[in-house]
């Protein structure tokens, strides 16, 4: 029971957007949230934008790269805001890593390793009544990629988010490791970044016994960071010539933007829901500022946007093309 | 001070082999150990074999694949024993992982991830008087590969040793990430195994802040194992539908071959030197058995041999060829 | 901005309780939450109960044991519900530990170790404008105990909650380790439980460098559990003759009551706020059931209650008395 | 097969000492090692000292405090060396902790927690043919303490070794938790140190599921250290206002004495046998120096000696007396 007023509870998004757009500006909804399967992202998002509503949308942003570019164009035209829920970029210690690289504390980045093993699709669960598995492994609902679209995009986003670099080309080995599956359930991808750094991205949904083990390591000339989603309140900061440091959420020595995304004092663990909350919270703060005619701060604007959604779809295109190619390298173009 | 008899301390290997081979059979040395840089492996090994001495040799076994095959042929001709010190295969919990896959406890293997990041070559140390760095980064002493030869071969060996599978093709991205270096100091390699499993191997010596962080994960249909050299007495055993188990060295529930390679009761950590010791110990036991006219047991014969040395050199050849190729896949041929 | 109606936002609790109690039953508030310093718990709680309101209250429940007993009597008279926010008992994996002992999976309990080191009072912060430090170290606001009242009570509660046992006597060494402090900032306590088990409880707020490191280990004849608040989604389950198991939140193999307190699938970490939420959630569900004339389930009733609040105050009394005594053992009496 | 000369392999210690003492000084053994059960320490140690041999001896040093004092007196009279194998003080990272406190890096020590849980005596194994269990639980062979003598002494020693402090009084709760056992198999002990610091020591051999989990935390005004034997190559160094640091064996930033006790570069784990080796190695170096008429360095003299053996026996006496006393505090007197 969500205590929503009955006359504003709708059976479909068309009714909602039509009805809400006819309400006075100070009554109508501020934004629409789209958490449907991938194939059902574009239409409601476009309709919302066309009718003046800001949008929060699940990743991958759309079904195709073309749809993504249409949304991007509409956002630019309307000046509305679109927030893409790459949840893991909402964790405070991810933001700490980003802040440390932005300050140049580790020198030039040389190497990025990001891995995302899950085990939950180790069986053919899509044939056993698992609804989450069913749409994610169905090309008509999920798009042209399976594991790479579902979690590979998270891994790719985290790499670009923390490093501030962009992938320029890649070499993908995509696999269907459970017989009978229609989309990739595993993949290993070599990466090159725009500063010359090398990388490797691994995503698998058949890593039997792993839960949701997203982990990233970014290596610079002077040191490196390591962050794992299973222990999200810890960031390992490693150095060439001195002891590894354990940075912890909620501590005074963190960057301002990190602290703005912590709710509790050190030692009171926060988790996935708070990371998700940070994405929404920053988005909402930036929206409120805009509504009040104020300039949102950098901290408020720290949420994934439509451009990252377009790049995510381009990542899927490149990774699938590479998976089918005999050439070593495939360009990552948007 | 090693308390060696003065008249049997030699200035070079030629003298040693000549002199020892003239001693009575019950007095002469049982085997020769070669721990020189790679370019100086073949000649003493071949001379030793030609004069009837067994050989223990550092990896990679030789400077070139051709030399490796010559040693292999000589070992076959003479019936002598050659032990290759792939140290990490000497750890008890590595043997436990091997034993569990051999028993089929995890079903068919689907995926292998093996990573070996070190940070000690993050600077151009070979120009700053570091002798270990100097020969390892010199193509005339190390061979055609740098990091891939020095530690990539360990990672590759561990993958084949634990899984019982063989790499059939690979796709390598080799990098020189420290300017001015003559050989690869970093590489990411996509792998395919002979049962169709996918794999990924990473080796880097510019992973600033990492020590010697060899780690392997092998995923089967029903579960997986994870082993990291930094905590070598622990093997994580993960399952699809039940809690992960922490297998520990020295415990009664381990396989016989694992227990034969443990010296201390559970909770008394063993380390790198004991793993090294296990390689030598097993080799020595097998030699003693042979000398006594007995058949060495499987446990005694559990040390890396000349065939693994040949495959290791073929791995280097394939990885370097792939690194220079525009094709995605390069065959791994011996 | 909490979007509360202006005419129901009150300046003090007396006004609130008076005004709300005059509203129609279906409009008035369902319960009162008291999160003031310890000395200001009793009066609002008693007034709320006297006026028919259920109560949620911070621990320790009151300023004195006598106050606690008055609240207990009032709860019994009125049939109202009182919920005591011993947050850490809200963690799912704590409930899993409790469930496993309740089922007898480890045999008779022999030993309980519970430790709660914090470092945040390592300096005389109460003199440097830290408001949280100021009242907690002030006997007039905090009561007769410092660290033992603030966090020792949590540790004691966790021990009784998981084990189902009761402390019968104790031997306390209470210390003021920062000169100039008015109340204990550290203590070590030997415990005896009603089944004969031995125990040890440590609480410190001068453990420089520790955050909020509550940890408990409970040992039975056949095995034991270990849970640490810093990694709350993990419960180590250890056995005499087989590998330690890593139980994880969100997994299908957990007890029903554990699963009812998980919000996310395995691998999506939950934290302190969700544990707090579980206390409130269970309390609210039980209240709703009662209001609907239904019997709350055991899962709904799984929140700390007034009896635990009375025992908590008795713990403080016993620990302070023991700290001042030359006798080894002091009875824990309610 | 240890390749010992047949004519110097003896059936009992009397023969050995008699025969060896008649050999020329440059041929005879340098020291005697005593690794018998506790009741059989004193006689061979005393005979060795009386005949001019240095002694290495297992802990606890003797069967009674009186014996220990006799050995101490004899060592002082003869000027010979006695080394007590408190193995855990041989770990490099334990020495690092000691060095950091000696330098005053953490300010005054306020608190020491040391715990030593083992699970191997969770059953009445002494009745099931376990020889190690049999003598350790037999008062005639082990002495007046069980777990406290066997492992409590290690924990006590580690606390004094790292901190440089001395225990002045204690309050012990000793337990027999497995019915039918003749000696304590568990104990919790409150401690006071000579600088006023508080402490707590726990030792148990019925901690079902634990291996050999010795762990110590020492808290100063400015920070603290944490070391656990299960991961001996790591020392956690925690600070009030900055990130925790992970000090690692084999690294250049360690103290000189730490580095002198490391054999391998960082990331090549060393373990229990190397810690044991360090004790012997330092003892042997100091002996060689003395034989050569040189002054042994501080690093060479860093091994446990007869005075620590006497204090260890006094610890057992105090802990057993306290366990039987109704008074809270028992003096720790030598």
């Amino acid at each position: 029971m969500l205590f929503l007023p009955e006359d504003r509870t709708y059976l479909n998004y068309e009714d909602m957007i039509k009805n809400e757009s006819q309400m006075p500006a100070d009554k109508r909804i501020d934004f629409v949230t789209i958490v449907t399967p991938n194939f059902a992202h574009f239409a409601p998002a476009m309709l919302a934008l066309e009718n003046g509503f800001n949008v929060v949308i699940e990743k991958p942003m759309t079904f195709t790269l073309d749809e993504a570019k249409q949304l991007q164009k509409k956002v630019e035209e309307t000046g509305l805001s679109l927030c893409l829920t790459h949840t893991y970029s909402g964790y405070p210690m991810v933001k700490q890593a980003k802040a440390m690289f932005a300050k140049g504390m580790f020198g030039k980045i040389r190497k990025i390793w990001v891995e995302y093993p899950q085990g939950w699709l180790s069986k053919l669960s899509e044939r056993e009544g698992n609804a989450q598995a069913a749409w994610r492994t169905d090309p008509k609902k999920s798009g042209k990629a399976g594991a790479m679209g579902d979690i590979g995009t998270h891994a790719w986003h985290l790499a670009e988010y923390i490093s501030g670099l962009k992938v320029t080309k890649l070499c993908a080995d995509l696999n269907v490791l459970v017989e009978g599956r229609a989309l990739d359930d595993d993949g290993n991808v070599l990466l090159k970044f725009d500063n010359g750094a090398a990388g490797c991205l691994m995503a698998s949904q058949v890593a039997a016994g792993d839960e949701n083990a997203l982990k990233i390591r970014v290596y610079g000339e002077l040191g490196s960071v390591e962050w794992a989603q299973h222990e999200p309140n810890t960031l390992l900061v490693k150095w060439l010539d001195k002891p590894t440091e354990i940075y912890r959420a909620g501590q005074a020595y963190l960057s301002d933007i990190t602290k703005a995304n912590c709710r509790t004092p050190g030692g009171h663990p926060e988790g996935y829901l708070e990371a998700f909350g940070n994405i929404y919270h920053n988005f909402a703060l930036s929206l409120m500022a805009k509504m009040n005619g104020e300039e949102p701060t950098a901290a408020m604007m720290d949420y994934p946007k439509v451009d990252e959604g377009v790049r995510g779809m381009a990542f899927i295109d490149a990774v699938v093309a590479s998976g089918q190619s005999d050439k070593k390298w495939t360009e990552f173009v948007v």
Side-chain angles (χ1 to χ4, degrees), chain A:
Chain A
M1 197 161 58
L2 296 170
F3 299 102
L4 296 173
E6 214 168 295
D7 60 337
R8 294 176 71 188
T9 309
Y10 307 99
L11 291 174
N12 56 59
Y13 70 85
E14 293 92 340
D15 286 357
M16 176 176 74
I17 287 172
K18 187 175 162 196
N19 199 56
E20 291 286 327
S21 61
Q22 289 163 357
M23 296 183 71
D26 66 329
K27 293 283 180 196
R28 73 173 69 150
I29 56 176
D30 296 317
F31 64 89
V32 170
T33 293
I34 299 169
V35 294
T36 47
N38 305 347
F39 78 97
H41 284 186
F42 176 72
M46 184 54 89
L47 194 67
L49 291 169
E50 285 171 348
N51 284 274
F53 293 105
N54 300 290
V55 169
V56 175
I57 193 165
E58 261 296 316
K59 47 47 57 191
M61 190 164 70
T62 48
F63 196 65
T64 67
L65 175 56
D66 179 64
E67 287 177 356
K69 289 183 174 173
Q70 291 182 50
L71 286 187
Q72 185 181 39
K73 198 169 154 227
K74 184 59 71 183
V75 165
E76 284 165 8
E77 281 172 16
T78 58
L80 290 165
S81 297
L82 184 148
C83 170
L84 186 73
T85 50
H86 273 303
T87 327
Y88 304 103
S89 66
Y91 275 110
M93 300 317 281
V94 166
K95 296 180 186 299
Q96 178 66 22
K98 181 184 179 66
M100 294 177 85
F101 278 105
K103 275 183 69 176
M105 293 178 68
F106 305 105
K108 190 192 152 196
I109 292 174
R110 285 175 172 163
K111 176 140 189 151
I112 302 179
W113 293 346
V114 57
E115 60 190 71
Y116 199 153
Q118 296 181 328
W120 71 292
L121 291 180
S122 291
K123 293 181 184 170
L124 209 58
S125 311
E126 56 267 47
R127 305 265 178 90
E128 293 164 7
N130 181 327
Q132 289 293 323
W135 78 258
R136 277 185 171 82
T137 58
D138 179 351
K140 293 200 219 87
K141 295 190 175 145
S142 194
K144 62 172 77 166
M148 275 297 152
D150 192 23
I151 60 173
T153 48
H154 274 311
W156 153 81
H157 182 262
L158 201 61
E160 292 201 348
Y161 181 78
I162 289 178
S163 69
L165 303 177
K166 303 282 181 218
V167 175
T168 55
K169 58 182 183 175
L170 52 77
C171 170
D173 176 32
L174 299 197
N175 303 294
V176 177
L177 293 177
V178 174
E179 216 178 331
R181 183 155 286 155
L183 287 171
D184 60 284
D185 49 21
D186 174 88
N188 303 310
V189 189
L190 309 177
L191 303 172
K192 292 290 183 187
F193 289 89
D194 55 359
N195 78 334
C200 191
L201 180 154
M202 304 180 293
S204 185
Q205 296 182 311
V206 298
D210 277 344
E211 291 181 333
N212 189 45
L214 176 60
K215 178 171 166 179
I216 188 165
R217 287 170 279 179
V218 183
Y219 293 89
E221 296 164 309
L222 307 174
S224 57
V225 301
E226 177 174 330
W227 180 82
Q229 200 256 158
H230 273 214
E231 277 196 66
N233 300 293
T234 291
L235 179 73
L236 289 182
V237 177
K238 307 177 192 177
W239 302 102
L240 268 189
D241 301 316
K242 55 183 185 177
T244 292
E245 294 173 307
I246 305 176
Y247 278 59
R248 293 274 301 163
Q251 294 296 349
Y253 51 71
L254 299 172
S255 80
D256 287 344
I257 216 163
T258 308
K259 285 188 275 191
N261 287 277
C262 292
R263 286 161 180 75
T264 52
H268 298 75
E270 300 192 33
Y272 179 82
L273 297 175
E274 287 79 14
F276 228 124
N278 285 339
I279 306 270
Y280 272 82
H281 187 232
N282 292 339
F283 177 68
L285 290 175
S286 73
L287 229 53
M288 283 207 293
K290 280 168 78 174
M291 288 171 177
N292 295 336
E294 293 158 13
E295 185 71 22
T297 65
M300 292 172 184
M301 292 304 290
D302 177 23
Y303 60 85
K305 302 184 191 68
V306 72
D307 292 0
E308 284 145 282
V310 171
R311 282 189 67 77
M313 294 310 299
F315 171 77
I316 291 175
D317 269 21
V319 120
V320 170
S322 174
Q324 293 163 349
S325 169
D326 289 336
K327 282 190 312 167
K328 187 184 271 178
W329 294 107
T330 296
E331 302 296 311
F332 181 118
V333 286
V334 177

